[in-house]
Amino acid sequence: MMIQHRIRTWLQRPRYPQEGWVTLDHRHLYILPTWLGIWFSVLLITMLLASLNFNLNLGLILTFTLISISLGSMWFAYRNVQNLKVGHAIQSAIFANQPAVLSVTARNTSKNSRFGISIRYQKHTGEDYEVHAEQDTVLLVPIGHLKRGIHPIKRIKIAGEFPFRLFHVWSYADLAQQITVYPAPEEAYPPLPSPDQGEDTTGQRTKPDDELPELIRPYQLGDTLKQIAWKHSARSDELVSRYGEAQVPSNLWLDWRQTASEKDTELRLSRLCAWVIDAEAQGLQYGLSLPGVQLMPNKGDAHLHQCLTALAAWRG
């Protein structure tokens, strides 16, 4: 048991990136024969014994030729993975109920292409890829459906069995990646709540900026002191006045309390998710309020991602 524990600990040594990459050097490469390789070895032993027993010279030549080929394939399989580098790849966020795909970048700095390289994560295996010489290649592996949340990616395995699948060469990397899974947006969701016309959730009104450039004109006789834009005049050394009224953008607050009619937490998050996407599609400024989380009104892709990530990470 002690020996098994030491072997397991040795195999599970963390392999964190150095300057963004994990190099699969010779100290961290492992090789074992595959089941096909084991059966091929049994066949070679049988051929060798039969050739010796019946004194078949041609049989001996054939047997030793096949042994040489298998030893050569072991060397090529090892060199095919050696010194390959793996690093982070952009992980696209997904919605719940969508299949997740883990991506890893493989960098080949040598002048020879690498063949049949695949990544494996837990029980999932990706297809074989060719990593071209002096190029980066993104390796993908489907990992099924994930629940809402932020899922850290644990140790991944990089393997290859080129050229004849007689030997399995592998190594590990701990890239500390994560996959963000947003709530699944509700399909038949209620209409968006009404904007609060400039009130935030604390009941304070947003003060309009009445010195916007488009609301400033040169001073004219008859302008009152209240119309003079003093700060703008000080900056421009010219007396200018305000005219018109600044339009205060309507702020739409998407609040956890607005989904109180539903008892299921995931359904409430799905409705907020659908509202966030709808508000962004309509070009509205929207804020998100969850118990313990408040994101001020804004719009744009970055704000959309921030809101959806907050919904994904919310634990209640």
Side-chain angles (χ1 to χ4, degrees), residues 205-218:
R205 292 196 66 80
T206 304
K207 184 180 179 179
D209 184 358
D210 54 1
E211 292 197 5
L212 294 173
E214 59 269 23
L215 300 177
I216 299 296
R217 59 169 170 75

Side-chain angles (χ1 to χ4, degrees), residues 305-316:
H305 176 69
Q306 189 179 19
C307 291
L308 293 178
T309 302
L311 293 173
W314 194 74
R315 294 298 180 188

Side-chain angles (χ1 to χ4, degrees), residues 77-97:
Y78 187 84
R79 291 296 301 271
N80 187 53
V81 183
Q82 186 183 23
N83 291 331
L84 198 65
K85 296 183 177 182
V86 293
H88 290 256
I90 297 176
Q91 299 290 339
S92 301
I94 60 171
F95 294 95
N97 301 327

Side-chain angles (χ1 to χ4, degrees), residues 76-134:
F76 277 109
Y78 187 84
R79 291 296 301 271
N80 187 53
V81 183
Q82 186 183 23
N83 291 331
L84 198 65
K85 296 183 177 182
V86 293
H88 290 256
I90 297 176
Q91 299 290 339
S92 301
I94 60 171
F95 294 95
N97 301 327
Q98 288 183 337
V101 177
L102 173 64
S103 54
V104 173
T105 301
R107 171 168 291 181
N108 181 11
T109 57
S110 70
K111 297 185 180 300
N112 299 315
S113 296
R114 312 298 182 94
F115 302 94
I117 302 298
S118 64
I119 57 174
R120 305 182 182 190
Y121 181 67
Q122 296 178 345
K123 61 180 180 181
H124 307 285
T125 302
E127 61 181 81
D128 293 344
Y129 287 87
E130 178 182 354
V131 184
H132 297 282
E134 300 179 332

